[in-house]
Every structure is written in C-alpha cells, then in structure tokens.
C-alpha cells in the first residue's frame, strides 16, 4: 500500500487543519490537499491526505473510513495514479 489516500464525502466547510487533525491520530501526516472548484473557489467535497508511512496510511484507512468529521461520514480509499489523458481535440 502507498501512503496517499483519497478522502471523499467531505463537508464543504471542512478545512485542511481539521482533516490533518483527524488523520494525525493515526500517524504523521505529510500533506493534506482539499480539491477546490476553479469556478467557485469552494471545496469539491474530496481531498488527498498523504501519510508518512504505509503503515500509518493503512491504519488511517481501516480506522477512519466511515468515521464522522464535520457531520459527514468519510469515504477513504487508497489514491490511484491519475490516468493519462489524450490530447484535446476540438
């Protein structure tokens, strides 16, 4: 298992600090990135959290998947590499 986790079903008001605090109980958090909408500047409801070790990532996945943060139940999966996109045609 890698160290990067996909975190879905976030409350739109969840901050990087509150997400970091929730995951820090399972190990060292190296980065938190909440994905924002370009048009509105508002959260898109998901984030990526990177843990320092694969063991910490596994612990966070097992123990926080379904846990409630800011009134919403988190959905956590191991993050996958982004599929390469072909050239845009128009």
């Amino acid at each position: 298992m890698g160290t990067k986790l996909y975190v879905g079903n976030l409350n739109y008001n969840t901050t990087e600090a509150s997400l970091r605090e929730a995951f820090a109980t399972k190990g060292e958090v190296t980065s938190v990135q909440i994905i924002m909408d370009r048009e509105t500047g508002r959260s898109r409801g998901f984030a990526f959290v990177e843990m320092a070790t694969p063991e910490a990532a596994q612990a966070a996945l097992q123990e926080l998947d379904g846990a409630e943060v800011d009134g919403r139940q988190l959905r956590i999966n191991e993050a996958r590499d982004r599929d390469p996109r072909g050239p845009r045609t128009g």
Side-chain angles (χ1 to χ4, degrees):
M1 171 169 206
T3 58
K4 195 169 191 179
L5 300 171
Y6 165 85
V7 183
N9 200 38
L10 288 179
N11 183 316
Y12 293 122
N13 297 317
T14 297
T15 64
E16 289 183 1
S18 65
L19 207 51
R20 180 180 294 272
E21 185 178 312
F23 279 79
T25 63
K26 306 304 169 210
E28 182 184 347
V29 177
T30 56
S31 70
V32 175
Q33 181 183 18
I34 294 178
I35 307 304
M36 306 301 269
D37 186 281
R38 282 186 224 151
E39 303 285 321
T40 64
R42 186 176 115 165
S43 166
R44 293 187 60 199
F46 68 96
F48 293 97
V49 175
E50 191 164 3
M51 305 296 286
T53 65
E55 294 79 19
Q58 184 66 36
L61 174 67
Q62 290 178 344
E63 296 177 36
L64 294 176
D65 186 36
E68 192 171 300
V69 173
D70 295 332
R72 301 287 300 264
Q73 284 189 339
L74 300 181
R75 297 286 171 245
I76 304 172
N77 295 301
E78 185 175 358
R80 297 178 297 186
D81 290 331
R82 194 172 189 173
D83 292 332
R85 293 185 179 184
R88 286 186 151 185
T89 59

